[in-house]
Amino acid sequence: MVTLRLIPLVLCWLAFDIATSAFAIEDSQIVLASTTSTENSGLLQFLLPAFQSRTGIRVHVIAIGSGQAIRLAKNGDADVLLVHHKNSEEKLVAEGHALSRHKVMYNDYIIVGPQNDPASLSNIKDATKALRRIATAQALFVSRGDYSGTHMAERKLWREAHINVDAAHSWYRETGSGMGAALNLANGMGAYTVVDRATWLAFQNKGTLTILSSGDPKMRNQYTVLAVNPGRHPHVQAAAAKLFVKWITSPEAQKLISHYKISGEQLFYPNAPEVIE
Amino acid sequence: MGEISAAVAAAIHLVVTLDSDLVEIVLLSLNVNCSSVTLASLLGLPLGASLAVFNFFGRRTIIMITSALMGLPPVVVGLFVYLLLSRSGPMGVFGLLYTPTAMIIAQVILITPIITALTHQAIEDLWKEYREQLISLGAGPTRALTTLLWEARFTLTTAVLAGLGRATAEVGAVMIVGGNIEHLTRVMTTTISLETSKGNLTLALGLGMILVMMSIAVNASVFIIRDSVRRDPK
């Protein structure tokens, strides 16, 4: 009977052995810290197999907000970034944590809300005007509140609309969560929110939410790729990261990006190669 | 109700077709959870028993702190382990961040207090009962410790299962230190979280049901083994 008692223990040890041996870090892999939109929309799953079959490099995607992705880069915990917040990217390069920024693609932010549209946005193009209407109607608005690229873009819009949302506790709700969670919340509360078009098109729990404002040129959402600076963080997979930057801005990858569609709609518009600085 | 029945259907479909992604995720979950529980038991069982048997300065404080640590928030543990394993952290040179090993480390920190506190409770009662007997038989402290652990083995399975339950349920810590990387550190709970954020609530709930089934299966097998051993004393 003693042997029987030992079975679970032995199983556990076997499991432990597998856990510690099979996942040793190999050289031909990089950690890509990326915004949730590129992962949740399925773009990376569509793109990365092509990169892996061409180079043999495996890309481990950590999908987080741009703010957190930049934090990871500063700590040297990622090899390459795919993010969408110009100011913090520029700061990262200036501080020497990342090499140059390269444009990859863009899409746009849109404002979604409940179909009955209590703030009467009725497909108004001007985003600041739309936000002012939400504020006037004191209609519920869900903010990401997580310093992600989308959150910071949304805050900038409120500033441009001259509305101090920090004082608007009755209708401005900061959730401190990812885009998907914020959309789930907006759907549940019948609230408005700002979302990037890719996440919106791929999102499957839209419920009564619908697009109520889009097409404003200042709602453009630019994605850039940056390799983490090996001079500052010597352990990074610099060569592989450089290859990734080169590949995702190459005609091959750019063409793939333009071919990625959900229900016939294109999610991202490639705009490389253009080294910004 | 429509969503829930759709979730049941999704769960059944995934299980029946033996979806290869699901199998991979389930295996990694079992792997990480079992490893964490094994390591936490190796630490927690002797530690808990020692706290019950040995009398030393600061014992009561340690017992109190251990009990309090049972309520450690997984996110805090995740952050702590992240800062530890980050390249700019004290253990950064090992490159363990975003590996299953990092997830195991975080879970061991979460679970060990639970197993230690529950073991302490079980052994303390037993020690009161058998103290005189063990001492009169000439058992030294180490001998007393192993005897007590052995005698309490059936009660202690509950302590270990409580640890396993915590490991199975938590998502905050493994999300931060594992990164939810596909084919590498994606486990059941982080997948559920991801699918929820994609708005794929049916699949998320279906996966949740599979997770509960897994948990029931593990607990059931432990109970069956325990009972068969009980009924069949040597």
Side-chain angles (χ1 to χ4, degrees):
Chain A
M1 281 333 287
V2 174
T3 45
L4 194 59
R5 205 183 47 82
L6 285 175
I7 288 171
L9 206 68
V10 171
L11 281 178
C12 277
W13 273 116
L14 273 178
F16 183 60
D17 275 348
I18 297 164
T20 42
S21 60
F23 303 104
I25 298 281
E26 298 157 35
D27 275 345
S28 57
Q29 58 183 30
I30 49 173
V31 171
L32 167 67
S34 162
T35 69
T36 47
S37 50
T38 49
E39 166 90 339
N40 284 6
S41 64
L43 175 74
L44 290 176
Q45 270 177 321
F46 174 76
L47 277 184
L48 296 180
F51 176 68
Q52 193 180 337
S53 70
R54 180 159 287 264
T55 60
I57 298 167
R58 270 184 73 161
V59 182
H60 296 318
V61 180
I62 317 244
I64 42 183
S66 293
Q68 214 182 332
I70 276 160
R71 181 78 237 173
L72 288 190
K74 278 186 186 168
N75 286 351
D77 292 324
D79 301 308
V80 83
L81 300 180
L82 182 58
V83 286
H84 62 149
H85 188 249
K86 196 177 165 202
N87 289 356
S88 31
E89 290 160 23
E90 282 171 348
K91 216 174 139 212
L92 198 70
V93 173
E95 286 169 355
H97 290 291
L99 305 172
S100 50
R101 301 168 60 225
H102 302 261
K103 281 188 184 175
V104 176
M105 59 198 181
Y106 69 91
N107 60 10
D108 60 340
Y109 294 113
I110 51 181
I111 300 176
V112 299
Q115 261 151 20
N116 63 352
D117 194 14
S120 325
L121 303 193
S122 45
N123 290 314
I124 184 177
K125 210 173 168 183
D126 187 331
T128 39
K129 239 181 217 167
L131 289 190
R132 267 192 225 116
R133 285 191 190 173
I134 292 173
T136 313
Q138 304 220 329
L140 287 177
F141 182 92
V142 170
S143 167
R144 292 273 295 272
D146 62 351
Y147 295 103
S148 60
T150 308
H151 179 222
M152 290 186 277
E154 172 229 308
R155 296 292 295 200
K156 195 166 160 239
L157 280 176
W158 286 113
R159 279 198 302 277
E160 281 165 8
H162 302 293
I163 292 161
N164 176 18
V165 283
D166 290 326
H169 300 303
S170 58
W171 56 272
Y172 184 82
R173 304 274 161 88
E174 272 201 15
T175 68
S177 55
M179 195 66 253
L183 282 172
N184 281 331
L185 241 112
N187 179 22
M189 296 189 335
Y192 293 88
T193 193
V194 171
V195 56
D196 65 279
R197 197 182 286 270
T199 305
W200 172 253
L201 287 173
F203 190 67
Q204 294 181 47
N205 186 32
K206 293 188 177 102
T208 65
L209 294 177
T210 183
I211 300 177
L212 290 170
S213 167
S214 65
D216 187 332
K218 66 172 165 294
M219 296 289 263
R220 185 176 159 125
N221 176 24
Q222 175 69 49
Y223 292 86
T224 27
V225 68
L226 304 93
V228 174
N229 184 0
R232 188 74 178 259
H233 302 284
H235 57 268
V236 296
Q237 305 294 330
K242 198 174 159 193
L243 259 178
F244 181 80
V245 172
K246 200 173 162 196
W247 180 80
I248 203 164
T249 52
S250 73
E252 183 197 346
Q254 293 279 299
K255 205 171 152 193
L256 278 174
I257 291 170
S258 70
H259 285 175
Y260 185 64
K261 287 176 182 158
I262 288 180
S263 46
E265 254 191 278
Q266 187 173 337
L267 272 66
F268 298 96
Y269 296 84
N271 66 339
E274 255 179 85
V275 179
I276 305 168
E277 65 207 35
Chain B
M1 280 313 285
E3 289 265 293
I4 294 173
S5 49
V8 174
I12 292 171
H13 181 77
L14 282 173
V15 173
V16 171
T17 57
L18 272 180
D19 184 273
S20 64
D21 280 347
L22 177 77
V23 171
E24 188 185 71
I25 289 166
V26 165
L27 286 180
L28 182 64
S29 297
L30 285 173
N31 213 322
V32 169
N33 296 344
C34 287
S35 310
S36 316
V37 169
T38 309
L39 287 176
S41 302
L42 287 175
L43 293 168
L45 292 174
L47 192 64
S50 312
L51 286 171
V53 172
F54 300 128
N55 224 331
F56 53 89
F57 181 74
R59 185 178 78 109
R60 294 210 61 82
T61 318
I62 295 177
I63 292 169
M64 189 267 290
I65 290 172
T66 312
S67 289
L69 290 184
M70 286 203 287
L72 266 177
V75 180
V76 174
V77 173
L79 267 178
F80 174 73
V81 175
Y82 167 72
L83 291 173
L84 214 62
L85 299 183
S86 165
R87 286 291 182 173
S88 50
M91 284 170 68
V93 283
F94 300 113
L96 289 175
L97 195 65
Y98 307 133
T99 63
T101 313
M103 298 157 85
I104 293 170
I105 293 173
Q107 291 204 333
V108 167
I109 296 177
L110 266 178
I111 302 166
T112 305
I114 296 175
I115 297 180
T116 307
L118 295 177
T119 304
H120 163 254
Q121 193 58 52
I123 299 290
E124 191 176 44
D125 296 343
L126 212 61
W127 177 235
K128 271 181 200 147
E129 208 175 316
Y130 291 111
R131 190 189 176 126
E132 301 300 322
Q133 208 177 335
L134 278 166
I135 291 173
S136 69
L137 285 172
T142 325
R143 181 75 207 150
L145 213 69
T146 47
T147 310
L148 286 169
L149 278 172
W150 177 248
E151 288 307 316
R153 62 192 181 279
F154 297 121
T155 322
L156 291 178
T157 48
T158 310
V160 173
L161 285 177
L164 185 65
R166 174 84 172 206
T168 312
E170 77 88 21
V171 58
V174 291
M175 189 66 120
I176 296 175
V177 302
N180 190 24
I181 299 170
E182 198 182 10
H183 306 308
L184 184 73
T185 57
R186 185 161 294 175
V187 289
M188 284 300 279
T189 51
T190 58
T191 311
I192 293 170
S193 179
L194 175 69
E195 290 305 331
T196 308
S197 75
K198 285 182 184 170
N200 206 342
L201 305 191
T202 322
L203 182 58
L205 188 58
L207 288 167
M209 288 171 181
I210 295 172
L211 182 66
V212 173
M213 292 300 164
M214 272 165 58
S215 193
I216 291 175
V218 171
N219 277 270
S221 33
V222 172
F223 273 78
I224 289 165
I225 292 168
R226 191 166 80 172
D227 286 352
S228 73
V229 176
R230 255 186 185 162
R231 242 181 280 121
D232 187 19
K234 288 169 293 206

